[in-house]
Amino acid sequence: MDILVLILTTLTALLSPVGLVVDSLAEQAIRQQTAAIEAIQVRVDNAPNHQILMGRIDQLQISAQGLRLRQLPDLRVDAIDLETDPLDVDVAHLRQGQLRLDKPAQAALRLRLRADALNAFLASQQVREWLDSLQVSLPGPGLGRQRQRYGLANPNLEFLPGDRLRIVVDFQDRITQESIPVWLELGLAVVEGTRLELVDPRIKIDGAEAPPQLITALAAGASQEFTLKRLEEFGLTARILTLTLTDQQLDLAVFARLEPSSPFLGK
């Protein structure tokens, strides 16, 4: 949201009859809010142009390559394309650096991530610290008290043909320093645009096939967890339009609608 606030604040503070100048201001605003960006194109469409002063934009289009967000500087986004429907924002709040919508905002987002970039991110200090903070419980009496003893390390990801992926991670005993490789291969399917379903998951633990009961439980739990419907209570409706895994890259297209009452807009 910080990027969108900065873009719209700049546009309402400086009005120019030349569309290219408005586009340049928006591009500069985005660059200021990213850790790095290799290429970017921004287009702001308005007819007439003075609508910007009233907080109205007919369409905002952003296309960027090699993007790194400040929040995740170790993750390189290969390409991102954003295209909005007409935007209508509260100008008074916008000039104070606050984004408030007068009407719901809708946008289509296309995202491309490469496997090598994801693996570089998985090897980063940020992810290592997150994995170190995880507490993994094992079934059995008394083992719940040893949650800090076990953890995950050295994750690696590979995209496979047929919208499948393979994840390899070490399950570590932090006391004995012993580790067991865990190998997971699965397909991904989108159900009703809101839920990811694991297709034909396979698990190997230290080279041995996991019992079917474990795989069934994993698939059922993942299907319940990976749902976008949970966002609707926060005023955000999102639908996955396409999800493909090919040639060591992930391509994702999403439609989203944000309500003026959404807490994601802040106070």
Side-chain angles (χ1 to χ4, degrees):
M1 291 303 168
D2 292 341
I3 291 178
L4 190 54
V5 169
L6 187 55
I7 291 174
L8 297 177
T9 303
T10 303
L11 297 182
T12 56
L14 299 172
L15 178 65
S16 170
V18 183
L20 288 177
V21 173
V22 175
D23 296 347
S24 297
L25 291 172
E27 178 181 331
Q28 181 180 1
I30 295 173
R31 289 184 179 276
Q32 291 175 355
Q33 290 297 309
T34 57
I37 192 166
E38 296 169 15
I40 184 172
Q41 291 181 328
V42 179
R43 178 173 176 176
V44 180
D45 291 332
N46 264 77
N49 209 29
H50 67 262
Q51 284 189 139
I52 296 177
L53 288 178
M54 297 182 287
R56 298 172 188 163
I57 291 179
D58 287 341
Q59 187 180 63
L60 174 64
Q61 294 176 293
I62 302 173
S63 179
Q65 294 81 44
L67 175 71
R68 296 177 186 266
L69 297 175
R70 286 187 175 180
Q71 297 86 343
L72 298 172
D74 295 313
L75 177 60
R76 180 185 182 276
V77 178
D78 192 53
I80 186 170
D81 294 284
L82 175 71
E83 183 175 314
T84 73
D85 286 349
L87 297 173
D88 195 340
V89 303
D90 186 318
V91 175
H93 283 91
L94 187 63
R95 286 172 177 163
Q96 299 173 18
Q98 302 173 356
L99 180 58
R100 300 282 181 87
L101 296 174
D102 288 330
K103 296 180 181 179
Q106 297 187 158
L109 174 70
R110 295 172 181 83
L111 184 71
R112 184 171 70 236
L113 292 166
R114 292 198 57 82
D116 54 0
L118 285 170
N119 281 317
F121 176 63
L122 291 176
S124 69
Q125 181 66 26
Q126 186 174 12
V127 172
R128 285 198 298 270
E129 291 176 355
W130 177 70
L131 290 176
D132 287 343
S133 69
L134 288 180
Q135 296 182 353
V136 180
S137 297
L138 294 177
L143 289 177
R145 296 191 299 269
Q146 302 184 44
R147 287 192 299 270
Q148 296 191 25
R149 175 172 179 171
Y150 301 100
L152 303 176
N154 306 319
N156 186 267
L157 177 68
E158 181 182 359
F159 296 148
L160 306 174
D163 288 340
R164 293 183 65 80
L165 57 86
R166 180 183 297 131
I167 303 169
V168 181
V169 64
D170 289 336
F171 182 80
Q172 289 188 334
D173 184 324
R174 292 167 175 163
I175 294 179
T176 65
Q177 300 301 312
E178 294 178 340
S179 64
I180 298 174
V182 178
W183 177 96
L184 170 64
E185 182 180 308
L186 53 87
L188 291 176
V190 179
V191 180
E192 298 178 346
T194 62
R195 181 164 51 89
L196 287 181
E197 187 174 83
L198 305 190
V199 179
D200 188 24
R202 299 174 56 203
I203 302 175
K204 289 183 180 181
I205 301 175
D206 201 17
E209 293 281 353
Q213 300 91 329
L214 176 61
I215 297 176
T216 301
L218 171 68
S223 181
Q224 293 177 359
E225 290 294 327
F226 300 146
T227 174
L228 296 176
K229 282 190 172 294
R230 294 189 172 192
L231 298 175
E232 293 179 8
E233 62 181 291
F234 302 104
L236 176 61
T237 301
R239 296 292 182 268
I240 300 174
L241 304 178
T242 60
L243 172 64
T244 57
L245 302 172
T246 55
D247 192 26
Q248 293 304 301
Q249 72 181 30
L250 179 151
D251 289 284
L252 176 68
V254 177
F255 167 82
R257 174 186 172 93
L258 188 65
E259 300 295 331
S261 59
S262 173
F264 290 130
L265 294 171
K267 300 295 184 179

